[in-house]
Amino acid sequence: MDNFKFYVPTDIRFGKDRLADELPEALNVYGKNVLLVYGGGSIKKNGLYNQVIDLLGKNQNIVVELSGVEPNPRIETVRRGVSLCREHQVDVILAVGGGSTIDCAKVVAAGFYSEEDPWAIILGRKGYQGEALPIVTILTLAATGSEMNAGAVISNLATNQKLGVGGPSMIPKVSFLDPANTFTVPTYQTAAGSADILSHLFESYFNVTPGTDVQDFVSEGLMRAVIKNCPIALKSPDNYDARANLMWASSLALNGLTRNGKHGVWSCHAMEHELSAFYDITHGIGLAILTPRWMEYVLSEQTVTKFAQFAHNVWGIKEEEPIIAAKKGIQATYDFFKTCGIPMTLPEVGIDDERFAEMAKQAVAHSTIKADAYVPLAEADVEAIYRECLTESNFV
Amino acid sequence: MDNFKFYVPTDIRFGKDRLADELPEALNVYGKNVLLVYGGGSIKKNGLYNQVIDLLGKNQNIVVELSGVEPNPRIETVRRGVSLCREHQVDVILAVGGGSTIDCAKVVAAGFYSEEDPWAIILGRKGYQGEALPIVTILTLAATGSEMNAGAVISNLATNQKLGVGGPSMIPKVSFLDPANTFTVPTYQTAAGSADILSHLFESYFNVTPGTDVQDFVSEGLMRAVIKNCPIALKSPDNYDARANLMWASSLALNGLTRNGKHGVWSCHAMEHELSAFYDITHGIGLAILTPRWMEYVLSEQTVTKFAQFAHNVWGIKEEEPIIAAKKGIQATYDFFKTCGIPMTLPEVGIDDERFAEMAKQAVAHSTIKADAYVPLAEADVEAIYRECLTESNFV
């Protein structure tokens, strides 16, 4: 196990019916001028927007809105948010939405204190050490874990770039996690969010650092919680406990719990970010498509033990022979995504092989997967994995 | 899943060789006057004491010592600590040791701000809302999880009471977790500490709240990490990764991760606290002795499903028939503790049946196990469980 720091000071308020009593108090610590950040308007349909506006009104907040944050939030929207914060002397940012909204809020929060253009912060990558406006979130989608970590991913369609950034000041101060706020998430987004959670777990689980049983076994537990509860939520969208388990799993899957103490970089996220950057597809869907193909591609004598452990402990596969167990685990992963209604080939989401070479080049250029991934991936490897996603797969 | 708050702002510095670079900076935030709290002198034998004193000297700290904290820390020691803090205008408490030392430091920290005698804080139980001096810890034993939570347990031998207290200000600000600092922990204490970790997990795992898969599956993972790594640490005391997994598991087992979102009170801890209060035995040993007998005692048609899940997911028992699987899981728990070298009967630790009735009465009086336990326990139940611990057991 590597040395690590674990410091996650987000105050999580999990459960139903907490906003009326707790939201005003959470905001008042920082001031009365609020930037309300949200996405495409789903919170207007389900009543959450009205509830929040009503509470903020009674609390004498002065509210400025940054709405229309995109599913892959764009740098232009961040710039708009920074201008609003400066113009209206915003004290605190309230992000109501999923990971995209929260990610956008984080970079707005940092951008407020930066003299450079916000894209410069992104290009600085994981090392933002400056100040940021305080952020409070109300989560409406179980997926990215952004509600309990310091990271953000922003897209720049002008340059076909989708890049991550992070820094200690960007972690939300308080996050409200009410599973009932995810009852209206459509099945496709519920499945995509679950795939995103699983991918966060997979990416750190398949890792070369020895002696990380705590991280690995906790990760297996979180995977099983998602695998059990996602189908329940798909069938019964207002099943509170299923939504609760997905929501809490989303936060724990990416707050450091399963990743700290390990080194190396993620593979599928690097490859998926290019799909989203070039084609603006749903992040979790891209991950679900890539992951089983990546698993098969990196399965070898060196990795088979971990893949067999994955098959046994996560999927309950009884097969003893490691290589067969491993393949069955990969098949189970693929079948799970398919059963959740996720289109499992790239053509189904509008991507053909035309830009594979270009995206593979970018995936390697924008990350260190060539040197630091679980199994190092060069451009040819990435392109081969993309190519495997052109048609349905069978792994056993 | 119940509503819960998860707010664990302890800054964990996990790993080796961090003190020289990080300890002075962690203390300087609060001031130069340090109360150094430690136990019976094991840190003098293994060199940690000298290392810390050296660092504090170079950092120009003024150090006052509270040494000799007992394995079940006593209220008299807390009083002594409070006096020292007042006399020397202490700014920050540095606790170097295991859970007892850290627990003692927490109540000293709170007592400093209280006009009442510190035992009044304990009698106030879980509700301390006042201020406390800041606490930094250097952990030397994987067991209680006190390094990453707000709770403390203090004994009053004058009244045969061992009671818990807690409050948000009592959570350590920074905790240094270096697995190498546990290399010199003797096998008996290593086993007792592992039993303590497992007990924390068991107590919240066997619980009536429905829909808590995340908490339960994470808990199963942590249990497996302890079960795998404790025997390695017993055999090879300086196996870094085994010690690392036990240490990180100890913190995660009692920081809320596996407990939040559930209601009800713990059973075995309430029963064990009386054993320690009356006979001053090692806490983890008492828990190991009681736990399998308690499991069998509460096994019923109502609880068999959870016990079978425990057997399958934690012990890898293949048996399908729930009641047989459940019993095999209990047997595996008992056998595990025995294999770790823990004396598994009360007479082996100097306890006969003389005070069973009195202790059973206290266990019920000092807790709400009669109403709120996983399976409610009255005095007669507690006494029956104590009685089962008089001889070796067989559960299958």
Side-chain angles (χ1 to χ4, degrees), chain B residues 226-297:
Chain B
V226 175
I227 290 162
K228 176 177 171 187
N229 287 285
C230 174
I232 300 172
L234 291 174
K235 206 175 161 189
S236 312
D238 57 355
N239 182 306
Y240 183 86
D241 280 337
R243 294 292 194 177
N245 279 291
L246 290 178
M247 195 169 231
W248 192 214
S250 82
S251 307
L252 297 181
L254 198 53
N255 75 350
L257 190 61
T258 66
R259 183 188 196 174
N260 287 349
K262 299 181 170 208
H263 55 269
V265 299
W266 290 6
S267 303
C268 291
H269 272 69
M271 294 188 285
E272 198 292 319
H273 279 182
E274 302 312 320
L275 300 182
S276 290
F278 279 68
Y279 294 93
D280 206 20
I281 67 167
T282 302
H283 177 56
I285 302 298
L287 290 169
I289 296 171
L290 287 167
T291 297
R293 278 72 177 222
W294 167 80
M295 287 177 167
E296 186 189 46
Y297 193 84

Side-chain angles (χ1 to χ4, degrees), chain A residues 1-18 148 173 210-218 220-222 224-225 228-229 232 240-241 244-246 248-249 252 255 257 260 309 313 318 320, chain B residues 1-18 148 173 210-218 220-222 224-225 228-229 232 240-241 244-246 248-249 252 255 257 260 309 313 318 320:
Chain A
M1 197 184 295
D2 293 346
N3 283 9
F4 64 86
K5 183 181 162 94
F6 184 88
Y7 179 53
V8 186
T10 303
D11 184 345
I12 297 287
R13 314 286 178 93
F14 196 100
K16 47 192 157 192
D17 302 329
R18 305 187 74 136
M148 202 181 181
K173 303 293 185 197
T212 57
D213 293 322
V214 165
Q215 291 87 336
D216 290 350
F217 296 168
V218 164
E220 290 168 358
L222 291 171
R224 289 196 291 121
K228 176 178 169 185
N229 286 285
I232 299 172
Y240 183 87
D241 280 336
N245 279 292
L246 290 177
W248 192 213
L252 298 180
N255 74 349
L257 190 61
N260 288 349
Q309 177 187 332
N313 293 349
K318 305 258 195 270
E320 300 277 344
Chain B
M1 197 184 294
D2 293 346
N3 283 11
F4 64 86
K5 181 180 163 93
F6 185 89
Y7 178 54
V8 185
T10 303
D11 183 345
I12 297 288
R13 313 286 178 93
F14 196 99
K16 48 194 156 191
D17 303 329
R18 305 188 72 136
M148 203 182 180
K173 304 293 184 196
T212 56
D213 293 324
V214 165
Q215 290 88 335
D216 290 349
F217 296 168
V218 165
E220 290 168 358
L222 291 170
R224 288 196 291 119
K228 176 177 171 187
N229 287 285
I232 300 172
Y240 183 86
D241 280 337
N245 279 291
L246 290 178
W248 192 214
L252 297 181
N255 75 350
L257 190 61
N260 287 349
Q309 178 186 331
N313 292 351
K318 305 255 195 271
E320 299 278 345

Side-chain angles (χ1 to χ4, degrees), chain B residues 79-101:
Chain B
R79 289 187 188 118
R80 198 151 49 90
V82 171
S83 299
L84 287 172
C85 287
R86 286 177 182 159
E87 194 181 330
H88 299 275
Q89 298 182 301
V90 160
D91 300 310
V92 53
I93 301 181
L94 175 61
V96 184
S100 302
T101 296

